[in-house]
Amino acid sequence: MALDLEEQEQLASLKGWWKDYGGIVVFLLLGVALALAGWRGWQWYQGSQAAHASAVYDTLGKAIQAGDAKAVRDASGSLIESYPRTVYAAMGALSAARFLHDAGDLKNAKTQLEWLASGTRYPEFRDTARLRLAAMLLDEKAYDAALKTLEAGRTEGYESQFSALRGDVLLASGKPAEAKSAYQAALDTAKKSNTVGTPFHETVRLRLEALGG
Amino acid sequence: MGGWAAPTRLQFAPSETPQTIEMYDFIQKRKRLIQLMLALVVVPFAFFGLESYTRGTGGADEVAKVDGMPISEREFGEEWKQQQERMRGMFGRNFDPSFLDTPESRRALLDGLIARRLVAAAIAKANIVISDDSLREAIASIPAFQVGGKFSHENYETLLRAQGMTIATFESQMRHDLAVSMLGRALATTAIVPRSVAERLAVLEGQKYEVSEALVPAQQFMGEVALDEAKLKAYYDGNAVQFRTSERIKAEYLVLSGEEIAKQVQPTEADLRAVYEQRGAQMKVDEQRRASHILIQASPTAPEADRKAARAKLEDVAAQLKKSPAAFADLARKVSQDTGSAIKGGDLGFFGRGMMAKPFEDAAFSLKDGETSAIVETEFGYHLIRVTGIRAASARKFEDVRAELLAELRQKQAAQKFAEAAETFSNMVYEQTSGLGPVAEKFGLKVQATDWIGSDPASVPKLLANPKLIGALFSPDSIKAKRNTDAVEVAPSTLVAARVTEHQSAKTRPYEEVRADIEKKLRLAGALKLAAAKGGALLEQTRKGGAGELAWSAPRQVTRGAPQGLDTEALKKVVATPSDRLPAYFGLEKGNDGYAVYRVSRVTPPEPKPAEQANADLQRVAGLYGSTQYEAFVASLRSKADVKINEKVLQKRETR
């Protein structure tokens, strides 16, 4: 029975431990459970947002196909209004901007891109929007605004295109020397990321060589 | 916690050993530590399941790891195979894709796989989902599943089953593909390009430049180059490496050729006769007979009644034949159960002994020409046989086979003689230390000699370009001791033995030998320099409006796409010509020819394009920008991901 006594002792000490720490353990477990529930809930919420946004995005696609400018504006507006954090809003803004741009509604096309250039949590979409916004500003001869748009921070992978477009803007605003170095920078970045020789960079080389670079 | 602590349970425990007690002790003392450890083990299970323990331990056969998810060698191999299939589809069955197997192409393939992983992860993270409606629509629009232009569910299921795919797998794959394409389209087909840039690109591509060229030839200045012995010598001393030669030899050699020996062999008439006699049996042609038959089938194992019936049937036929013997062929066509011969009126063609069933053969070879047999029984059934032709046994005449025998005998004798000669030849060249002369005499061969040759097979006469022979020639035995090499079989029944006659070690060629070359070289370099100076001066003059002595070529119309023979460097300068300052001049050194001065006299912008064409150009550039922006999207994902590539596994040859 000596062993039993030993075990009794063990149990007693465990009970004592529980008395001291049981509250904390229960509290911690509760916390973990709550966090899990919250996490799952957040996932569910995001999923349901995505499902709703997806339906609106489908509507937008159909409006573009039908060439219905008003419906395009409405659908994209609704995505931006109600589901701004979804990728659908970002995709929608890009699609709507191109459609409106081609249809000659430059003001509304720009509104889409302006929102995306600052209002999305997807940096790749943000930078894509900045490139397209700056392209539109260049055609409007709003060179300073275009340069300002291109100055904002950018993610890796986009530098080369930003530099090339900067070159275009600088050349148009009568600064061929600066344009030349911008084009050169575009090709240098491309060389670093091993994308030199792609069709896009061939066009940059064309532009650079025309300036004697 | 009452139940948990019930002591009765513990009483049933087997008697604890001291170790277990120690362990209790251990646990007691480190309760909190152990609880923490337990938590660490349990928590990942709660969140990710078992997977996180099994994942990422393979290591060795992973080609890459993308955010902890491995890309296995097998997956890479599958992709490799698919790419090969695509290539074969493009270039035809016989295309061998293995020559495209470079480290770069493997890398590109892997990059594609990694990109796919990254995009898939991005899609999951961004919650891009395809609605059931869109999925249904997409599947219904696949032509393969349609019958008469309408989606057929039956067809859908059958086709998938044929591919060994369940509907669930296919639909989830389809959902994923649709999501990828949705994302891709949203980025790549929506690009906006500055109209001004697209227009400028079109101009740059289509602009025509009128270019003339005037060469100041170096040839003209050759005489003016000041050279003296000291300069030549200084060049020789300064560029010794250029004048190094490798080890070389001159050799003499003998060729023992089976073909030559075959020409010397002349079998006598008596030899031929002897062979003919010897082969008497082979020269005979056995008797051959041609026959037709009528068969009524009856298996030997068939019931007696059936066999009787078959025989009766054939007896009937025999009776008819007796009445009208000429009807054999007709009857064969009608009743013979040997369908192959029946359609030919029973004809079996010529055959010799041993080719037919024994009773059939006996009958066929005992009849006279045109005679018909009585009923013959074989394992196939009952036959009526008529002989329709006889070729008596014959023997081929000596005259007919003489040429055949001669060729055969000559070859045999030549091979024999060559084998004998080869052995003697090999032994003699090995034993002779005083050169190849006596061997040549013995075999009536001519000793041939080479010019200087190096150990590089390309510099060696084709017959001697055998690695074994060259190795032997450049061995110390040959070079130092001047011994004959072994006889080496350089081609079928062609033996060569050789011997070094002269040898030069690797050395720097003496100044005297190369002086002329150096002079030529320095003279050209000097002349080019003079030409460049002169050309430069003329260029300046011309720029200032001087008429100059330049001999201008006829102007050419040059575009980027069609440079009209203009070299790359010149073209690069031409396209950089500003169109507001014409004519423009520039000069370039032109290889060894001299110095070229170029004149751009006119820049013609491309014809303005019709609006439709201009719009198409814009769309094309927009497409280009769009796909570049999608690539940037993938590049950005990759820069943020943790990608590890296992170069060793990637470049392993078997990974296919």
Side-chain angles (χ1 to χ4, degrees):
Chain A
M1 290 316 275
L3 281 177
D4 271 3
L5 268 178
E6 180 81 20
E7 281 163 7
Q8 298 283 7
E9 228 171 79
Q10 298 278 344
L11 281 172
S13 96
L14 271 176
K15 276 181 184 166
W17 178 83
W18 184 253
K19 221 177 228 163
D20 290 347
Y21 297 105
I24 297 177
V25 168
V26 169
F27 185 76
L28 278 178
L29 280 176
L30 216 72
V32 168
L34 268 176
L36 257 173
W39 184 62
R40 295 301 296 260
W42 173 241
Q43 278 208 319
W44 174 86
Y45 171 74
Q46 289 220 315
S48 102
Q49 286 273 301
H52 286 118
S54 161
V56 183
Y57 185 75
D58 283 351
T59 314
L60 174 64
K62 289 197 175 105
I64 288 176
Q65 257 176 5
D68 183 346
K70 186 178 175 306
V72 169
R73 280 199 307 274
D74 288 351
S76 178
S78 144
L79 278 174
I80 293 172
E81 195 84 2
S82 315
Y83 313 101
R85 291 181 56 81
T86 65
V87 77
Y88 288 99
M91 297 196 297
L94 290 182
S95 307
R98 168 68 183 266
F99 173 82
L100 295 169
H101 170 266
D102 287 359
D105 184 357
L106 300 184
K107 188 174 145 281
N108 278 309
K110 260 176 23 190
T111 314
Q112 309 283 329
L113 294 174
E114 275 158 3
W115 170 77
L116 192 54
S118 55
T120 182
R121 63 192 181 108
Y122 298 98
E124 291 84 11
F125 280 87
R126 182 198 65 205
D127 285 351
T128 306
R130 284 178 182 161
L131 280 170
R132 295 174 184 183
L133 183 58
M136 291 189 69
L137 292 168
L138 168 57
D139 269 350
E140 286 173 14
K141 302 199 191 325
Y143 304 133
D144 289 342
L147 287 176
K148 211 169 154 231
T149 306
L150 292 172
E151 258 160 33
R154 67 202 72 124
T155 40
E156 203 175 320
Y158 288 83
E159 301 94 334
S160 178
Q161 293 179 79
F162 271 66
S163 299
L165 190 49
R166 248 167 58 78
D168 294 331
V169 177
L170 287 166
L171 183 66
S173 58
K175 293 175 183 154
E178 287 171 53
K180 203 167 128 182
S181 55
Y183 288 142
Q184 189 62 58
L187 289 182
D188 289 346
T189 347
K191 205 174 277 168
K192 250 186 263 157
S193 63
N194 219 355
T195 51
V196 85
T198 58
F200 172 75
H201 289 109
E202 279 306 293
T203 71
V204 177
R205 199 173 54 80
L206 208 73
R207 285 174 256 184
L208 177 62
E209 284 179 1
L211 294 175
Chain B
M1 313 261 354
W4 187 70
T8 43
R9 273 186 65 196
L10 294 170
Q11 278 167 4
F12 286 105
S15 56
E16 270 85 353
T17 58
Q19 280 100 328
T20 30
I21 299 169
E22 257 170 53
M23 209 165 84
Y24 276 136
D25 221 35
F26 179 85
I27 292 175
Q28 172 99 35
K29 282 184 188 140
R30 296 171 180 76
K31 221 179 272 161
R32 243 173 302 173
L33 179 72
I34 288 170
Q35 273 149 3
L36 186 72
M37 278 165 60
L38 268 175
L40 282 177
V41 174
V42 171
V43 167
F45 274 115
F47 283 84
F48 307 107
L50 261 171
E51 212 186 0
S52 50
Y53 281 87
T54 52
R55 185 196 294 164
T57 47
D61 62 342
E62 289 164 17
V63 178
K65 215 176 221 176
V66 180
D67 279 336
M69 294 283 282
I71 294 177
S72 71
E73 203 177 332
R74 224 192 66 219
E75 198 179 344
F76 182 78
E78 286 294 315
E79 188 68 13
W80 178 264
K81 254 184 239 146
Q82 280 178 24
Q83 197 197 34
Q84 285 194 331
E85 279 310 308
R86 278 196 298 272
M87 294 258 184
R88 286 214 190 86
M90 264 193 278
F91 300 112
R93 272 285 123 195
N94 293 328
F95 173 74
D96 175 15
S98 65
F99 86 94
L100 286 181
D101 183 6
T102 61
E104 293 77 32
S105 69
R106 278 163 177 264
R107 189 59 190 250
L109 192 70
L110 179 62
D111 282 344
L113 264 176
I114 292 173
R116 235 189 286 160
R117 282 284 176 86
L118 293 170
V119 170
I123 282 170
K125 201 171 158 211
N127 264 317
I128 298 183
V129 284
I130 299 297
S131 68
D132 291 346
D133 280 346
S134 307
L135 180 68
R136 210 170 293 134
E137 223 171 275
I139 290 177
S141 70
I142 294 176
F145 299 144
Q146 292 173 351
V147 172
K150 272 188 86 180
F151 176 70
S152 145
H153 204 273
E154 207 184 333
N155 216 15
Y156 176 53
E157 279 181 351
T158 323
L159 269 172
L160 288 189
R161 222 176 299 126
Q163 299 277 321
M165 218 187 259
T166 66
I167 288 189
T169 320
F170 176 75
E171 291 186 352
S172 93
Q173 178 66 43
M174 189 79 189
R175 248 183 232 276
H176 176 72
D177 290 351
L178 286 173
V180 171
S181 110
M182 179 189 265
L183 177 67
R185 266 182 293 128
L187 284 164
T189 67
T190 56
I192 294 172
V193 182
R195 193 169 281 275
S196 52
V197 171
E199 280 163 5
R200 190 151 54 89
L201 286 174
V203 167
L204 291 179
E205 276 165 9
Q207 198 148 255
K208 269 191 203 147
Y209 305 85
E210 190 180 78
V211 183
S212 313
E213 181 185 337
L215 184 70
V216 182
Q219 207 57 41
Q220 198 172 301
F221 301 94
M222 289 294 205
E224 291 171 34
V225 179
L227 285 178
D228 53 32
E229 210 55 35
K231 272 189 190 157
L232 299 184
K233 191 82 175 72
Y235 184 84
Y236 176 79
D237 292 339
N239 296 277
V241 193
Q242 278 182 32
F243 306 113
R244 292 288 292 178
T245 59
S246 46
E247 180 180 34
R248 53 185 197 160
I249 55 166
K250 277 186 182 175
E252 55 180 21
Y253 61 98
L254 281 178
V255 182
L256 183 74
S257 145
E259 225 170 284
E260 287 301 315
I261 286 177
K263 277 186 207 152
Q264 295 166 16
V265 172
Q266 188 55 56
T268 63
E269 220 48 30
D271 290 344
L272 292 173
R273 281 273 172 203
V275 174
Y276 180 74
E277 296 305 330
Q278 221 176 41
R279 299 234 188 123
Q282 286 174 33
M283 294 299 157
K284 267 197 214 128
V285 182
D286 288 329
E287 181 182 358
Q288 297 235 325
R289 288 192 165 208
R290 181 176 182 175
S292 299
H293 77 142
I294 295 169
L295 170 71
I296 300 298
Q297 287 183 354
S299 156
T301 58
E304 197 51 34
D306 290 1
R307 294 179 56 82
K308 267 195 181 140
R311 188 172 180 109
K313 197 171 173 194
L314 194 60
E315 272 164 359
D316 225 30
V317 175
Q320 286 182 50
L321 265 180
K322 214 159 230 167
K323 268 184 243 156
S324 46
F328 192 97
D330 283 344
L331 281 167
R333 268 184 213 105
K334 258 186 244 155
V335 300
S336 176
Q337 290 172 348
D338 174 20
T339 46
S341 69
I343 50 169
K344 289 183 280 182
D347 183 26
L348 293 165
F350 278 99
F351 52 89
R353 284 183 186 276
M355 288 162 71
M356 296 293 179
K358 189 70 176 132
F360 189 102
E361 177 186 307
D362 288 345
F365 279 86
S366 60
L367 295 168
K368 288 185 196 132
D369 195 3
E371 250 183 353
T372 307
S373 71
I375 290 178
V376 174
E377 187 183 338
T378 70
E379 69 224 64
F380 303 106
Y382 299 104
H383 306 255
L384 284 171
I385 304 166
R386 173 176 287 182
V387 173
T388 55
I390 296 177
R391 271 188 207 148
S394 65
R396 295 174 73 195
K397 289 196 198 106
F398 175 70
E399 287 69 33
D400 293 345
V401 292
R402 190 183 168 281
E404 219 173 280
L405 288 177
L406 181 64
E408 194 187 312
L409 202 54
R410 174 175 276 162
Q411 199 184 4
K412 198 173 150 194
Q413 287 182 357
Q416 213 168 6
K417 199 161 175 204
F418 179 74
E420 287 164 20
E423 200 183 336
T424 320
F425 183 81
S426 300
N427 288 338
M428 269 187 92
V429 294
Y430 180 72
E431 284 155 10
Q432 285 291 333
T433 44
S434 52
L436 297 167
V439 188
E441 215 168 286
K442 156 107 183 156
F443 287 93
L445 300 171
K446 222 183 104 208
V447 178
Q448 304 175 67
T450 69
D451 198 355
W452 287 110
I453 55 177
S455 56
D456 168 22
S459 74
V460 176
K462 204 169 159 254
L463 188 64
L464 307 184
N466 173 295
K468 201 173 156 197
L469 184 64
I470 292 178
L473 274 172
F474 281 87
S475 73
D477 254 4
S478 291
I479 285 171
K480 292 227 175 70
K482 295 273 193 291
R483 288 185 62 94
N484 297 336
T485 66
D486 285 347
V488 175
E489 186 164 20
V490 297
S493 48
T494 309
L495 287 182
V496 171
R499 179 173 164 271
V500 172
T501 50
E502 271 184 81
H503 171 253
Q504 263 184 8
S505 341
K507 59 153 193 174
T508 305
R509 296 169 72 191
Y511 173 66
E512 293 69 33
E513 207 179 298
V514 294
R515 188 187 170 283
D517 290 346
I518 294 177
E519 191 190 341
K520 222 191 211 164
K521 190 170 187 164
L522 292 186
R523 196 165 288 286
L524 179 62
L528 282 171
K529 220 182 248 172
L530 289 173
K534 174 79 175 170
L538 287 172
L539 175 64
E540 275 317 301
Q541 249 177 52
T542 319
R543 272 191 182 139
K544 283 179 193 137
E549 332 149 29
L550 287 168
W552 290 106
S553 69
R556 285 177 283 187
Q557 300 292 332
V558 171
T559 65
R560 269 173 188 281
Q564 311 287 348
L566 218 59
D567 57 43
T568 332
E569 277 307 296
L571 182 65
K572 222 172 136 182
K573 290 259 190 193
V574 166
V575 297
T577 310
S579 57
D580 52 353
R581 265 170 284 162
L582 295 176
Y585 300 91
F586 65 92
L588 281 176
E589 280 167 30
K590 205 178 173 191
N592 284 339
D593 295 344
Y595 187 86
V597 179
Y598 295 87
R599 176 177 64 198
V600 181
S601 43
R602 200 185 313 166
V603 178
T604 324
E607 303 264 323
K609 290 180 178 164
E612 229 169 79
Q613 179 77 47
N615 206 38
D617 276 357
L618 186 66
Q619 297 301 330
R620 185 174 58 85
V621 181
L624 187 66
Y625 270 61
S627 50
T628 308
Q629 281 160 15
Y630 182 71
E631 281 156 24
F633 169 74
V634 175
S636 167
L637 292 181
R638 179 147 179 184
S639 74
K640 287 182 218 156
D642 174 24
V643 177
K644 289 196 190 79
I645 291 176
N646 191 343
E647 287 291 342
K648 246 204 236 137
V649 178
L650 173 63
Q651 302 300 352
K652 214 160 72 180
R653 285 294 108 171
E654 314 85 82
T655 305
R656 280 185 193 162

